Amino acid sequence: MSIEKKPEILSLTEDELAHLLVADGHKKFRAQQVFQWLHLKQVFDVRQMTNLKADFQDYLTEKFSFPDFKILNESKSPSDQTAKYLFAFGKKQVESVWLPYENRQSICISVQSGCSLDCSFCATGKIAFKGNLTAGEILTQVYGMQQLYDRRITNIVFMGMGEPFYNYDNAIRAASLIAHQHGMNISRRRITLSTSGVLPGIQRFIEEKQPYRLALSLHSVFADKRKRIMDIEEKYPFEDVLGYLREKRGEMQQGQLMFEYIMIDGINIFPDDAKELARWAKLLNAKVNLIPMNTEFNGMHRPSEEKIYEFWRALVERGVVAVNRKSPAKDIDGACGMLAGQKLAS
Ligand code: SAH
Ligand code: SF4
């Protein structure tokens, strides 16, 4: 006899929760109370949900599954307060990063354990792909890290392990739960989904008028070169993606789109690269986030400070808004994308 799987409580919207509670004869307002314990106060233990009666607490435990995770490892950077966490959800392990800045508190979270793509500069692509995270598992990284610190999280980037648009429903569901007014109530403009360029996902995102920011990982604006470093280029050429985004420009919010561009020495930071990147950025009105390749990896390395500066200047001189994002947490390989496998337990 198969045992029916319990609904994962953290993945449910307040309305879905209300629906299930009412169907079992409970009052609708209980849904908001439970939702706030989970998403606002980040309390996962029903016994600590003190405004709920014991028999209702029992019912919740019977009916739903609650977050079940372990933090297997924590590495803190001595130089910049950045910290990297290894979360385990059963066999699925993912990494998440705590990124404190002066005026904001960012975190970088994962949407898949490993990645089905294999970009040549990215450590995640080299480890075994273990599958999608549920919305609840994506959220558990946010709440799990928030529980460890007094500082309130203000910005969330889906730029850890995996491709958000290959786990579209769960990624978008997690984003909307993070932004929910009865939960953390994080501004939608401070939630960013990063994609390597999965065109159907981008189309859906735009058609659904999703309010989150969209980061497109370009890393090269020449098809041949991009193909050599990103396998997604074979399937969804960046020119198709940018052509589509150009068509839809009027339907996007000001500042919603940005480009991510890892600067890799001897590969994608020649004057021609800057010129072509600037052309696209202006055509699409996109800000460019420059990220120096953060460590030596797969025979590729970080350019000198001088070359980084030159590339940045070549964009800015052409009127592009370009930011050198630095690579935080260099000493713990904590920059998003370098969430590597070396500490993953087997
Ligand atoms: N799969 C999605 C989101 C996760 S990767 C994507 O590719 O956009 C998130 C970011 O980490 C991307 O912008 C990626 O380019 C960056 N990244 C990957 N490897 C890196 C490295 N070696 N150094 C710096 N950033 C890296
Ligand atoms: Fe996957 Fe993004 Fe890494 Fe490419 S850069 S392998 S898409 S996680």
Side-chain angles (χ1 to χ4, degrees), residues 31-190:
Q32 186 175 332
Q33 287 181 325
V34 175
F35 191 89
Q36 284 180 328
W37 279 114
L38 295 168
H39 297 271
L40 176 67
K41 299 176 194 150
Q42 285 121 30
V43 169
F44 297 160
D45 174 1
V46 283
R47 296 291 166 221
Q48 287 177 35
M49 300 183 181
T50 46
N51 59 357
L52 308 179
K53 292 220 179 72
D55 55 349
F56 184 61
Q57 292 174 346
D58 292 341
Y59 157 80
L60 291 174
T61 322
E62 274 285 296
K63 172 93 184 178
F64 299 100
S65 76
F66 281 74
D68 178 18
F69 72 101
K70 285 195 191 89
I71 294 181
L72 297 182
N73 191 64
E74 176 191 54
S75 27
K76 284 196 170 168
S77 156
S79 63
D80 63 7
Q81 308 296 309
T82 309
K84 183 169 75 170
Y85 295 92
L86 177 61
F87 280 84
F89 306 105
K91 284 195 163 51
K92 290 182 289 191
Q93 296 181 11
V94 299
E95 287 181 303
S96 327
V97 193
W98 177 261
L99 298 153
Y101 297 93
E102 220 165 274
N103 53 0
R104 67 195 148 98
Q105 175 56 54
S106 289
I107 59 167
C108 174
I109 54 172
S110 297
V111 294
Q112 298 181 313
S113 178
C115 185
S116 62
L117 296 167
D118 184 15
C119 302
S120 59
F121 47 80
C122 175
T124 301
K126 303 282 172 273
I127 59 173
F129 178 60
K130 296 265 175 67
N132 283 340
L133 299 194
T134 65
E137 289 163 346
I138 298 170
L139 286 173
T140 300
Q141 298 163 68
V142 181
Y143 302 165
M145 281 192 282
Q146 185 65 91
Q147 285 164 354
L148 300 174
Y149 295 88
D150 277 338
R151 216 175 128 96
R152 191 180 136 78
I153 295 168
T154 60
N155 295 62
I156 300 186
V157 294
F158 289 61
M159 275 187 201
M161 290 178 165
E163 170 49 56
F165 286 172
Y166 280 149
N167 188 12
Y168 187 95
D169 291 328
N170 293 334
I172 293 288
R173 177 177 278 262
S176 77
L177 288 165
I178 291 165
H180 195 284
Q181 55 171 340
H182 296 150
M184 285 187 97
N185 199 15
I186 290 187
S187 157
R188 291 170 172 82
R189 302 294 305 271
R190 288 166 177 266

Side-chain angles (χ1 to χ4, degrees), residues 8 175 194 267 309:
E8 204 189 3
S194 175
I267 299 204
Y309 176 76

Side-chain angles (χ1 to χ4, degrees), residues 115 117 119 121-123 158-164 194-196 215-217 219 230 260 262 291-295 297 325 327 335-338:
C115 185
L117 296 167
C119 302
F121 47 80
C122 175
F158 289 61
M159 275 187 201
M161 290 178 165
E163 170 49 56
S194 175
T195 179
S196 55
L216 177 63
S217 292
H219 314 319
M230 297 178 78
E260 301 279 308
I262 303 180
I291 313 145
M293 167 112 196
N294 76 330
T295 37
F297 183 71
R325 210 178 65 188
S327 298
C336 296
M338 272 319 273

Side-chain angles (χ1 to χ4, degrees), residues 212-323:
Y212 315 105
R213 295 182 91 189
L214 181 64
L216 177 63
S217 292
L218 273 180
H219 314 319
S220 174
V221 277
F222 293 106
D224 283 356
K225 202 188 285 190
R226 193 166 188 264
K227 222 176 267 179
R228 271 183 269 136
I229 55 174
M230 297 178 78
D231 46 358
I232 190 95
E233 177 66 21
E234 292 276 0
K235 201 161 182 192
Y236 304 116
F238 81 93
E239 280 179 286
D240 294 353
V241 173
L242 293 182
Y244 171 80
L245 288 169
R246 194 178 169 200
E247 231 172 77
K248 299 287 169 180
R249 226 174 66 160
E251 290 170 40
M252 296 185 82
Q253 300 156 30
Q254 178 68 25
Q256 191 175 10
L257 176 69
M258 60 188 158
F259 295 159
E260 301 279 308
Y261 198 94
I262 303 180
M263 295 174 284
I264 311 171
D265 196 35
I267 299 204
N268 61 355
I269 53 165
F270 294 103
D272 275 356
D273 295 304
K275 196 171 156 200
E276 190 61 4
L277 178 58
R279 190 176 72 80
W280 281 112
K282 284 197 287 191
L283 215 50
L284 284 151
N285 200 12
K287 180 179 135 179
V288 179
N289 253 330
L290 296 172
I291 313 145
M293 167 112 196
N294 76 330
T295 37
E296 194 79 37
F297 183 71
N298 211 14
M300 301 180 176
H301 53 270
R302 180 189 176 91
S304 67
E305 288 306 311
E306 202 184 330
K307 288 188 194 165
I308 290 172
Y309 176 76
E310 281 303 317
F311 192 73
W312 171 81
R313 214 184 57 172
L315 295 177
V316 174
E317 273 172 356
R318 290 182 165 89
V320 174
V321 182
V323 182

